[in-house]
Amino acid sequence: WALPPLPTTQVSLSTRPKFSWRRSAKSSRSWRCSRTNSAHTATNTGHITTGFGRRAAVSPDRAYTQAPAAYGQGTARDVFIEGVLALPDDIASMIRIFVHDEIVLSVPPERAEEIKEAAVATFESVHIPCAGGVSVSTLADAVGPADDWSGCK
């Protein structure tokens, strides 16, 4: 088994969360309270639960700093993986490497813009489930095409 030959064009795609609602003082207090509750929970259980319900380990003696970081980073990872898993099979087969919060695709030059638009639309279809039925949308960026990944910056 071998990878198909690489075309000469590369497209890099990265994602980041985008908050789609305006935070009032009340929602900001609620968010801080929920993160404080996560720290209390992590102190007792040794883990937090991400926005998608996945557990992430937290050192109980460092829960007040690790719990909010683990929640944010863990939820960002979940958003990224949901986007990757939602990609159409033909686009997913073009993935060459994951670099932090990016995927690098090798695509036929004549389809580069079409594939870039489809990948961005797929990542932007991912929504982060939050407390109270609030759903946070995701914004995706794409750069390239270029001859190699370094040219996609």
Side-chain angles (χ1 to χ4, degrees), residues 14-19 76 79 101 123 128 137-141:
S14 65
T15 64
R16 66 179 183 273
K18 171 189 170 188
F19 297 99
V79 167
D101 62 348
F123 273 86
I128 305 169
S137 62
T138 303
L139 176 65
D141 290 337

Side-chain angles (χ1 to χ4, degrees), residues 26-107:
K26 180 180 178 183
S27 67
S28 182
R29 279 191 303 274
S30 173
W31 184 86
R32 281 194 309 269
C33 182
S34 70
R35 298 292 47 98
T36 301
N37 289 341
S38 289
H40 288 300
T41 300
T43 300
N44 297 325
T45 65
H47 73 271
I48 57 94
T49 304
T50 68
F52 284 82
R54 187 176 54 85
R55 287 184 175 188
V58 173
S59 175
D61 60 330
R62 296 183 179 175
Y64 286 94
T65 56
Q66 286 185 354
Y71 180 83
Q73 293 168 1
T75 300
R77 177 254 181 217
D78 294 345
V79 167
F80 179 72
I81 294 301
E82 289 289 323
V84 169
L85 294 174
L87 286 169
D89 290 341
D90 64 326
I91 295 176
S93 69
M94 297 175 191
I95 296 174
R96 293 296 175 232
I97 191 169
F98 298 95
V99 182
H100 303 289
D101 62 348
E102 297 181 33
I103 57 173
V104 178
L105 307 166
S106 292
V107 303

Side-chain angles (χ1 to χ4, degrees), residues 5-12 94-96 104-116 143-152:
L6 296 176
T8 59
T9 298
Q10 304 285 316
V11 174
S12 178
M94 297 175 191
I95 296 174
R96 293 296 175 232
V104 178
L105 307 166
S106 292
V107 303
E110 65 278 0
R111 292 189 59 208
E113 290 305 316
E114 166 203 344
I115 291 168
K116 184 168 38 169
V143 294
D147 292 333
D148 57 34
W149 177 65
S150 66
C152 289

Side-chain angles (χ1 to χ4, degrees), residues 122-140:
T122 301
F123 273 86
E124 288 183 343
S125 72
V126 176
H127 288 267
I128 305 169
C130 297
V134 175
S135 180
V136 179
S137 62
T138 303
L139 176 65

